[in-house]
Amino acid sequence: MAVRAVSLDLDDTLWPVLPALIEAEHVVDRWLRQHHPDVASAWPIEAMRELREQIARDNTHLSHDFSEQRRMTIRAAFAHCGIDDAPVDELWRLYFAARNNVELYPDSLPALERIAHRVPIVSISNGNADLEIIGLHHLFHTRISAGGLGVAKPDARIFLAAAEALGIEPGEILHVGDDPLLDVVGAREAGLRTVWLNRTGEVWSHGPAPDMEFPDMTHLADWVEASAVTDS
């Protein structure tokens, strides 16, 4: 079946996410040290990180919603210090802005522009990246997030939502992502074709191989230009 659309993971596919996440934690910590030093002292960055992980473990029904996990972490940290009225909105605004201050891989933007010229692109992400803040929203036909849909990769429903939004069959979508299990295995089991974007040169060891493997987005754009079907 011919490829008529591309779906893309975001974090660690189009940009490295860890630097932005670390900076976001530091932004929150600096604000706390200025405005709530007692909370900052009780919950330094590493302790706050462990608290968020504990909240994630205790609230598996929110495994698809990293944003709510983060807001719950803020409330819990303040409550531990005897403060019921936590400044959740202010801290979330600061965290979210820093989390989305990402630096694209050099190949990402040129490749996205080339691909978008040929076929529609859909983002499928478990994270809370905001393509409008990042400045890439105009290149995407549809944006699907685990938080918005209520299910996360590798659940087939998040991939099938992309097919429904595009009005095409799952097998006509080429899903591209860095995570072998969440992206490649999940998309394959939902009936999509798959690309493992393997920037680090790892060896595949997760069952049946993806349909294709590329080291960067440039190779993906080359393939799309040579092979994908453009709807008239």
Side-chain angles (χ1 to χ4, degrees), residues 5 8-9 28 86 91 108 112 116 125 134 156 165 169 181 185 197 199 207:
L8 279 171
D9 174 56
V28 169
L91 282 173
S108 292
L112 283 171
S125 177
I134 295 167
E169 294 298 318
L181 298 178
V185 175
L197 200 72
R199 292 184 179 275

Side-chain angles (χ1 to χ4, degrees), residues 54-91:
Q54 183 62 54
I55 285 174
R57 289 192 295 270
D58 292 344
N59 296 272
T60 55
H61 65 290
L62 293 174
S63 61
H64 63 281
D65 195 340
F66 294 158
S67 299
E68 183 57 26
Q69 289 178 19
R70 184 70 59 177
R71 288 189 287 265
M72 289 178 66
T73 301
I74 295 169
R75 294 188 192 100
F78 274 79
H80 181 271
C81 296
I83 303 172
D84 293 330
D85 189 20
V88 176
D89 291 343
E90 175 67 9
L91 282 173

Side-chain angles (χ1 to χ4, degrees), residues 8-132:
L8 279 171
D9 174 56
L10 298 176
D11 291 331
D12 292 325
T13 294
L14 299 182
W15 55 75
V17 70
L18 188 58
L21 295 178
I22 291 173
E23 176 57 21
E25 291 177 333
H26 282 275
V27 166
V28 169
D29 185 66
R30 288 194 292 269
W31 189 93
L32 288 175
R33 292 188 182 281
Q34 180 179 356
H35 298 281
H36 289 275
D38 52 339
V39 179
S41 178
W43 297 100
I45 288 174
E46 186 59 37
M48 192 75 82
R49 189 178 298 155
E50 292 173 357
L51 176 60
R52 192 202 65 78
E53 292 172 352
Q54 183 62 54
I55 285 174
R57 289 192 295 270
D58 292 344
N59 296 272
T60 55
H61 65 290
L62 293 174
S63 61
H64 63 281
D65 195 340
F66 294 158
S67 299
E68 183 57 26
Q69 289 178 19
R70 184 70 59 177
R71 288 189 287 265
M72 289 178 66
T73 301
I74 295 169
R75 294 188 192 100
F78 274 79
H80 181 271
C81 296
I83 303 172
D84 293 330
D85 189 20
V88 176
D89 291 343
E90 175 67 9
L91 282 173
W92 172 246
R93 182 187 66 79
L94 292 169
Y95 180 89
F96 194 64
R99 179 262 183 272
N100 281 289
N101 186 23
V102 297
E103 183 175 351
L104 300 182
Y105 292 115
D107 54 274
S108 292
L109 181 56
L112 283 171
E113 291 173 338
R114 291 169 60 194
I115 296 166
H117 185 68
R118 293 298 304 271
V119 296
I121 307 175
V122 177
S123 64
I124 303 180
S125 177
N126 283 1
N128 48 21
D130 188 314
L131 289 172
E132 290 199 23

Side-chain angles (χ1 to χ4, degrees), residues 175 177 179-189 194-196 204 208-210:
H175 181 70
D179 192 291
L181 298 178
L182 299 183
D183 289 307
V184 177
V185 175
R188 183 184 68 233
E189 293 184 354
T194 58
V195 167
W196 184 30
W204 180 263

